[in-house]
């Protein structure tokens, strides 16, 4: 029986440890079409333009300013009197109740944007509404994408979530705003393996190899 060297054993151990660490930060994105890559014309698959009012306003899938890939979603807010609103969302995202998720996305307010209020909201469901994060304000980047990230906890019993972006403009014709969105993510952390147990088992394996080499 061939005995591998201590150096080889250590290399195998540290390779396995690195893979384990990588696994702890890898998680499945529950949001479908997160980068708005698939769709027809200005409509993005899996996303619903729920409200576009008080215009002139629009919410469209576009390739003008992607953060990654080839497409992004753009909300434009202008007004001739009433305050403009653009709301788009993805409904029925499957979730597990009692789990804390990481919700993140990239947002960019294009040059000249002013008077706008940007918010996100996640509503939790199990047949009916069982919880709500409430509308949360955030600040898009200023003509550059900013990364927005928050921890959100699904109520016990929740089975799905609606991911909502709400954009309101000023009721003033002199003010308008254009906000781009990309790379939306809702992920649950992967259970982290016991690091101490990993190290202990690795060291035990190395010691066994050393012992075999002595006999």
């Amino acid at each position: 029986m061939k005995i591998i060297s201590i150096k080889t054993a250590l290399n195998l151990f540290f390779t396995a440890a690195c893979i384990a660490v990588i696994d702890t930060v890898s998680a499945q994105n529950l949001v479908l079409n997160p980068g708005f890559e698939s769709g027809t014309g200005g409509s993005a698959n899996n996303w619903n333009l729920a409200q576009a009012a008080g215009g002139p306003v629009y919410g469209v899938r576009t390739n003008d300013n992607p953060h990654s890939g080839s497409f992004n979603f753009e909300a434009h807010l202008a007004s001739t009197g009433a305050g403009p609103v653009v709301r788009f969302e993805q409904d029925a995202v499957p979730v597990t109740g009692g789990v804390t998720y990481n919700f993140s996305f990239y947002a960019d307010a294009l040059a000249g944007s002013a008077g706008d209020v940007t918010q996100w909201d996640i509503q939790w469901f199990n047949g009916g509404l069982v919880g709500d994060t409430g509308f949360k304000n955030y600040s898009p980047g200023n003509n550059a994408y900013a990364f927005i990230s928050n921890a959100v906890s699904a109520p016990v019993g929740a089975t799905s979530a609606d991911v909502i972006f709400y954009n309101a403009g000023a009721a003033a014709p002199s003010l308008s705003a254009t906000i781009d969105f990309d790379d939306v993510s809702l992920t649950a952390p992967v259970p982290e393996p016991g690091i101490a147990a990993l190290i202990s088992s690795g060291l035990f394996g190395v010691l066994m190899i050393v012992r075999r080499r002595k006999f």
Side-chain angles (χ1 to χ4, degrees):
M1 179 179 175
K2 183 178 179 181
I3 305 299
I4 62 175
S5 68
I6 295 176
K7 181 178 179 181
T8 300
L10 286 171
N11 285 338
L12 290 173
F13 166 61
F14 285 115
T15 298
C18 288
I19 292 173
V21 170
I22 291 172
D23 283 344
T24 66
V25 296
S26 300
Q28 178 187 5
N29 188 1
L30 301 177
V31 173
L32 299 177
N33 196 19
F36 310 97
E37 294 299 311
S38 65
T40 303
S43 299
N45 292 344
N46 307 109
W47 291 95
N48 172 36
L49 182 61
Q51 186 177 8
V57 300
Y58 63 76
V60 296
R61 169 180 176 260
T62 177
N63 60 1
D64 290 345
N65 182 34
H67 172 259
S68 67
S70 301
F71 290 88
N72 59 280
F73 194 88
E74 185 168 279
H76 178 72
L77 305 158
S79 177
T80 55
V85 172
V86 172
R87 169 176 166 163
F88 66 98
E89 60 192 69
Q90 183 166 141
D91 300 333
V93 177
V95 298
T96 301
V99 172
T100 296
Y101 292 89
N102 183 66
F103 173 60
S104 65
F105 59 95
Y106 289 83
D108 174 13
L110 301 189
S113 295
D116 55 293
V117 175
T118 52
Q119 299 175 316
W120 61 266
D121 181 26
I122 297 181
Q123 297 179 350
W124 311 99
F125 292 86
N126 183 347
L129 183 68
V130 296
D132 187 351
T133 63
F135 284 89
K136 304 294 185 181
N137 293 330
Y138 67 92
S139 297
N142 183 10
N143 209 33
Y145 274 104
F147 179 61
I148 315 298
S149 180
N150 295 269
V152 294
S153 296
V156 174
T159 57
S160 68
D162 290 358
V163 176
I164 300 166
F165 292 94
Y166 181 86
N167 310 276
S174 61
L175 299 177
S176 65
T178 304
I179 304 101
D180 287 344
F181 302 84
D182 208 353
D183 299 326
V184 184
S185 177
L186 183 69
T187 59
V190 174
E192 184 174 345
I195 299 300
L198 178 66
I199 294 174
S200 297
S201 62
L203 290 177
F204 177 77
V206 173
L207 289 173
M208 289 300 294
I209 291 170
V210 173
R211 185 173 182 273
R212 288 180 181 178
R213 286 177 61 89
K214 287 183 177 179
F215 293 97

